[in-house]
Amino acid sequence: MTARSAYVFDFDSTLVRIETLEALADLALVGVSDAAVVRAEITRLTDQAMAGEIGFGEALRRRLAMLPLTRAHVDALAERILDEGAPSVRRNRQWFLDNADRVIIVSGGFREVIAPIAARLGVSPERVLCNDLRYDSEGRVTGVDELNPLSRAGGKVEAIRALNLSGPVIMVGDGWTDAEVKQAGAADRFYAFTEIARRPPVMAVADAVAASIDELLHAEGEKGRFSYPRSRIRMLLLENVHPAAVERLEEAGYTVETETGALDEDALIERIKGVHVLGLRSKTQVSEPVLAAADKLMAIGAFCIGTNQIDLAAAAARGVAVFNAPYSNTRSVVELAIGVMIALMRDVADKSAAMHRGAWNKSATGSKELRGKTLGIVGYGAIGSQLSVLAEALGMRVVFHDLTERLALGNARRASSLNALLADSDVVSLHVDGRGENAGLIGAAELAVMKPDVLLLNLSRGHVVDIDALARAIRDGRIGGAAVDVFPQEPRTNADPFDSPLMGLRNVILTPHIGGSTEEAQEAIAEFAAERLLSYLNRGDTTFCVNLPNVQLTEVTGGHRILHIHRNQPGVMAELNQALSAAGLNILGQHLKTDERTGYVITDVDRDYDPEALKALKTVAGTLRFRMLH
């Protein structure tokens, strides 16, 4: 029987995301006048030792000598060390617990700090080889046990050899002392671990580079927590998506690239090759040619409400799931609508501009209250209905028009038709979606139906209003004012110029598509959309997906999950289950959800599988996408 591999892990910048002595320096140097100088020297010595430029023993002694370190400092770090675990170590804790008898921690760090992490991972104390600090009678650190080989150069090699390990030895770490273990023949393979720190000299001599524990376990043929290393899955986020999304996705182990602006079709076709997940806002157009060039794409996250910038049918035809954030910026849009309504009623924009020119024009003429006025809301979804509630609270009468049956909130009432609403309203606010049928919803004919001096708000989609007709109506005095936040053609970046026939017109407020652009909304959108993407990638959950059947799924436990997206056509399930049976898999649970064009089957099976046998699942007639999750 072949002996199982033994995994030897470094501690600092491997199992945890800190360097112990640097963290202790932060604690010990509080209130010290030259703390910054000492801290910089500690870091320099750490980097030199990790890169192999000076001996570890020398670096350890010099660093300890520079610090007024006490037992209290060490205990303080030990108390919070569990919070410093490397992200992929935390994700794969179950693997460590299941394989604790194969895991050894060998470090030049200190037992008091390492012990809590080792216990958390199920590693017994005798399998933790590290330095032991020495203290004087007043609890001050005086050094380490000099008899311990880990206190001097070459100590890791000596300590590992003394274990007399049978079977392959896998060394995992970020520093030169870890590389030396393989170079000295005390390990069969060495992985340079780069999730926390990348040290080129160490990476250059490694057998392989592992950006996460997931990637290490995948390379070594271990089941681990995930079926494919997350660090190999590339995400491209465009249009300055909020940092909260980047942080959440990177914390989950994925590789994230960002761009501050939108990309045109040609640029996106070039960039999307090799990308697994695309994130964008409203300006980037994901067309059929873009999707055709997307050789790895699994999902698209729209970090906004609308998805009309994405060819949803073409994405579904390739098994690419699309998610958005339909509710996260609702409040922000509603508050802007209320704000611009008041500003237009009081002629605030023009009076403010006049003041900036030095003109004082104090007059009540044409200045009105919202109270008692009729607000007509076109589109009574999440935004329109919330606007209805706030407008009523301000004393307005609310009527609404929607093609879908909607529950009227408060005292709002449904208008019999769009024209009836337009003729009855003092303020018209548009909150419709981006479907093609809504193009030109408000044109010259509709403007002619409205009351004289009506105020028009468009915070929905740029193509909904005929801008030229609106400009003429304002110039002719037919419309009292307008607030427009969206436009048929918008600049791709803040550096690009803006032009519109509405520029310079009286009582017109123009804003650069900022309805949902509050800090709170953008953070909420980032968190919501990122979580939807993670739920899909990690467990196959399609809740809130806008172009594939919605299936809500729990985490994969005790088995494997097969995800199969296919064209909705007869015979797929029969052929799929025949392939599963031929592969010798016992089905624990199976879910099927279809819409008019696509089917989504999720199958949980109870034991290891033969990858070769499962290749047949990819050839089932109508298959669009096939994935395996552990």
Side-chain angles (χ1 to χ4, degrees), residues 9-226:
F9 289 92
D10 180 38
F11 186 73
D12 291 3
S13 295
T14 299
L15 295 181
V16 293
R17 58 190 176 190
I18 62 169
E19 289 290 329
T20 297
L21 268 172
E22 293 180 9
L24 288 172
D26 291 337
L27 295 170
L29 294 173
V30 173
V32 176
S33 58
D34 60 345
V37 175
V38 176
R39 179 67 169 77
E41 181 63 11
I42 293 285
T43 300
R44 188 183 69 83
L45 289 170
T46 298
D47 289 342
Q48 284 187 318
M50 291 299 99
E53 296 172 8
I54 60 174
F56 176 79
E58 177 189 351
L60 176 61
R61 286 188 293 274
R62 287 171 61 181
R63 287 178 292 174
L64 284 175
M66 297 169 65
L67 293 175
L69 201 58
T70 67
R71 187 184 297 275
H73 298 135
V74 177
D75 291 344
L77 180 58
E79 285 180 8
R80 66 173 176 85
I81 195 63
L82 290 179
D83 297 330
E84 301 292 349
S88 70
V89 173
R90 294 198 301 269
R91 290 197 303 271
N92 287 281
R93 179 175 175 239
Q94 190 60 49
W95 180 87
F96 281 92
L97 292 172
D98 293 342
N99 295 275
D101 61 331
R102 304 166 61 197
V103 173
I104 302 150
I105 300 173
V106 179
S107 170
F110 311 125
R111 191 171 305 280
E112 294 94 326
V113 177
I114 296 175
I117 291 286
R120 174 78 172 166
L121 299 178
V123 181
S124 59
E126 63 270 16
R127 300 181 74 83
V128 178
L129 310 181
C130 57
N131 275 305
D132 294 287
L133 289 167
R134 293 290 179 256
Y135 303 90
D136 64 16
S137 59
E138 297 181 357
R140 291 176 297 213
V141 173
T142 58
V144 295
D145 179 4
E146 298 290 346
L147 297 178
N148 188 330
L150 290 165
S151 69
R152 55 183 180 264
K156 282 190 177 180
V157 174
E158 185 177 343
I160 291 171
R161 279 181 171 155
L163 294 173
N164 293 316
L165 297 171
S166 60
V169 175
I170 314 302
M171 183 71 217
V172 185
D174 68 297
W176 190 257
T177 57
D178 306 309
E180 287 178 334
V181 174
K182 166 65 188 301
Q183 292 175 333
D188 296 276
R189 290 185 290 282
F190 167 56
Y191 285 88
F193 192 73
T194 60
E195 181 174 21
I196 311 302
R198 295 177 63 88
R199 309 189 195 279
V202 178
M203 296 163 64
V205 299
D207 294 292
V209 174
S212 65
I213 297 297
D214 312 292
E215 193 159 321
L216 165 72
L217 298 179
H218 182 78
E220 284 296 316
E222 302 279 350
K223 286 192 298 184
R225 172 64 182 86
F226 299 102

Side-chain angles (χ1 to χ4, degrees), residues 136-410:
D136 64 16
S137 59
E138 297 181 357
R140 291 176 297 213
V141 173
T142 58
V144 295
D145 179 4
E146 298 290 346
L147 297 178
N148 188 330
L150 290 165
S151 69
R152 55 183 180 264
K156 282 190 177 180
V157 174
E158 185 177 343
I160 291 171
R161 279 181 171 155
L163 294 173
N164 293 316
L165 297 171
S166 60
V169 175
I170 314 302
M171 183 71 217
V172 185
D174 68 297
W176 190 257
T177 57
D178 306 309
E180 287 178 334
V181 174
K182 166 65 188 301
Q183 292 175 333
D188 296 276
R189 290 185 290 282
F190 167 56
Y191 285 88
F193 192 73
T194 60
E195 181 174 21
I196 311 302
R198 295 177 63 88
R199 309 189 195 279
V202 178
M203 296 163 64
V205 299
D207 294 292
V209 174
S212 65
I213 297 297
D214 312 292
E215 193 159 321
L216 165 72
L217 298 179
H218 182 78
E220 284 296 316
E222 302 279 350
K223 286 192 298 184
R225 172 64 182 86
F226 299 102
S227 50
Y228 187 76
R230 291 181 170 192
S231 56
R232 294 189 190 178
I233 294 179
R234 290 178 56 205
M235 297 185 172
L236 174 62
L237 304 186
L238 307 176
E239 302 184 59
N240 206 28
V241 167
H242 194 280
V246 179
E247 181 180 352
R248 180 68 186 91
L249 297 170
E250 288 184 335
E251 180 184 291
Y254 296 99
T255 298
V256 181
E257 306 166 34
T258 60
E259 290 284 347
T260 56
L263 296 180
D264 61 24
E265 185 175 79
D266 290 340
L268 186 55
I269 286 173
E270 185 61 33
R271 284 295 300 276
I272 206 166
K273 293 179 176 66
V275 170
H276 297 86
V277 176
L278 176 66
L280 47 84
R281 293 171 70 184
S282 58
K283 292 185 176 63
T284 301
Q285 301 296 309
V286 184
S287 61
E288 164 71 35
V290 169
L291 290 162
D295 55 341
K296 301 289 186 182
L297 194 63
M298 295 189 290
I300 300 172
F303 287 77
C304 53
I305 294 177
T307 56
N308 56 296
Q309 71 277 39
I310 303 166
D311 189 330
L312 297 179
R318 289 171 171 79
V320 176
V322 179
F323 298 91
N324 66 339
Y327 310 115
S328 301
N329 66 357
T330 299
R331 180 70 181 201
S332 297
V333 177
V334 169
E335 288 189 6
L336 182 61
I338 294 289
V340 294
M341 261 193 274
I342 294 172
L344 290 171
M345 281 281 187
R346 302 292 296 273
D347 196 24
V348 169
D350 289 348
K351 282 184 168 62
S352 176
M355 291 285 286
H356 281 284
R357 295 192 302 270
W360 181 271
N361 182 22
K362 185 179 187 304
S363 171
T365 302
S367 185
K368 302 173 183 177
E369 295 180 352
L370 287 184
R371 183 175 51 177
K373 305 300 184 297
T374 297
L375 170 64
I377 300 174
V378 182
Y380 203 67
I383 294 174
S385 58
Q386 188 170 149
L387 175 60
S388 170
V389 172
L390 293 188
E392 273 201 4
L394 291 171
M396 299 189 80
R397 171 177 169 267
V398 177
V399 295
F400 68 90
H401 172 72
D402 200 297
L403 297 178
T404 303
E405 187 62 35
R406 303 283 189 182
L407 174 66
L409 302 182

Side-chain angles (χ1 to χ4, degrees), residues 482-498:
V484 181
D485 186 53
V486 289
F487 303 87
Q489 289 83 38
E490 296 182 358
R492 285 199 306 272
T493 70
N494 288 343
D496 294 330
F498 168 75

